[in-house]
Amino acid sequence: MQTGCSAHRIVVKVGTSTLTHSTGKLNLHRLEELARTLSDIKNAGAEVILVSSGAISVGTSKLGMTSRPEKLPLKQAAASVGQCELMHIYDKLFGEYGQTVGQILLTGEDVEHPIRRKNLLNTFLTLLNLGVVPVVNENDSVSFNEIETGHNKVFGDNDTLSAIVAKLTGADLLVLLTDIDGLYDSDPHTNPDAHIIPVVREITDALRAAAGGAGTARGTGGMQTKLAAAELAMQAGIDTVIAAGDAPAALYDICRGGGPGTRFISPHPVK
């Protein structure tokens, strides 16, 4: 199998529903395939940044809670415990394929404040130059505005976060792996005749209407947040792909410009 990637720097975002079983516990088989595939793509010459959701869901399960907490302190506690578990697994799995990972946790202020933004970019670029795979998540243990109130909301979901990271780092491809296999022309859950849209060159009001619907019970982002992320990335000259996360090996084809899902092609590609 050819593993070469036409993108030099790729940001891959994985959602909670991709990383976990319905029980809330980690889907180790899928995580192993994701780590192996990204390691192979990196070995072929691409730089890889992973934006990973799942901290609150994983922490909720590890703490023995029966459902996702609603009170802010419990959310933050679950995020703290879950983030440790996630990074432990990522360090182990990527390490098995000779890769080193580094954790970056962000709040809205980190990308809004000019000096902190510059320092953040320097950290990303240094990690990439050292051959490290940055693993990024929103810092839910402290970013109460985003997870609870919605005030000063810069991220609010990791779809938006991944687009911001792609823009900040000058990536030329953003891939959103999710629990649906692309953008449809209508809701496939209610319309059996819905068809996937393979290529999008302009995001219109009709597309926004077709993207209605919320995310899963374990996650926060629905198709609307993914469409907004794709639009943000396209404006920055970054192509975006929305694809199903149940088969991470599809990243091989996606990186080469093909593959499944919906590809959003920027009219102003990164040079």
Side-chain angles (χ1 to χ4, degrees):
M1 176 184 291
Q2 292 182 336
T3 58
C5 185
S6 60
H8 169 66
R9 184 172 295 159
I10 174 175
V11 175
V12 177
K13 182 263 179 178
V14 287
T16 301
S17 59
T18 296
L19 297 174
T20 61
H21 294 288
S22 59
T23 60
K25 294 184 182 295
L26 287 170
N27 186 327
L28 296 175
H29 174 78
R30 195 168 292 163
L31 278 165
E32 193 278 334
E33 185 178 356
L34 175 69
R36 183 176 70 250
T37 302
L38 290 180
S39 296
D40 206 18
I41 289 171
K42 184 174 176 296
N43 284 345
E47 294 179 340
V48 173
I49 298 172
L50 176 62
V51 177
S52 174
S53 299
I56 294 178
S57 179
V58 172
T60 296
S61 174
K62 190 161 187 177
L63 289 169
M65 300 177 183
T66 57
S67 61
R68 184 184 176 95
E70 296 183 1
K71 293 183 178 180
L72 175 59
L74 288 176
K75 284 183 180 180
Q76 293 176 317
S80 176
V81 171
Q83 189 65 30
C84 287
E85 179 79 356
L86 276 174
M87 286 308 301
H88 171 71
I89 296 297
Y90 280 133
D91 185 58
K92 176 179 174 60
L93 293 178
F94 276 96
E96 289 179 355
Y97 296 103
Q99 305 296 336
T100 300
V101 298
Q103 176 178 258
I104 296 182
L105 298 178
L106 301 178
T107 67
E109 294 176 351
D110 295 323
V111 295
E112 287 183 324
H113 192 280
I115 295 178
R116 292 171 70 169
R117 182 183 179 92
K118 181 179 179 180
N119 290 335
L120 177 62
L121 175 58
N122 288 339
T123 299
F124 270 113
L125 296 182
T126 302
L127 286 171
L128 292 172
N129 287 337
L130 290 170
V132 175
V133 177
V135 179
V136 187
N137 198 357
E138 185 169 1
N139 194 349
D140 288 330
S141 294
V142 299
S143 59
F144 67 93
N145 282 331
E146 282 82 359
I147 67 171
E148 183 72 12
T149 69
H151 298 308
N152 300 321
K153 190 172 184 179
V154 176
F155 310 143
D157 62 84
N158 276 354
D159 297 319
T160 304
L161 171 59
S162 64
I164 291 173
V165 168
K167 180 179 179 180
L168 173 70
T169 60
D172 40 13
L173 179 63
L174 170 64
V175 182
L176 306 176
L177 296 180
T178 182
D179 56 356
I180 193 169
D181 50 357
L183 177 65
Y184 283 77
D185 54 12
S186 60
D187 188 348
H189 297 106
T190 59
N191 180 11
D193 296 322
H195 297 284
I196 197 168
I197 304 172
V199 177
V200 172
R201 298 183 182 274
E202 180 183 7
I203 296 179
T204 64
D205 290 340
L207 282 180
R208 293 186 182 93
T216 66
R218 303 194 307 282
T220 59
M223 187 55 70
Q224 288 181 335
T225 69
K226 291 166 181 59
L227 194 62
E231 186 169 22
L232 178 61
M234 289 173 72
Q235 291 169 353
I238 304 166
D239 287 356
T240 302
V241 175
I242 298 175
D246 58 358
L251 285 165
Y252 286 124
D253 288 334
I254 290 172
C255 280
R256 293 195 295 268
T262 300
R263 184 174 292 265
F264 298 79
I265 298 178
S266 171
H268 309 291
V270 174
K271 295 181 181 180

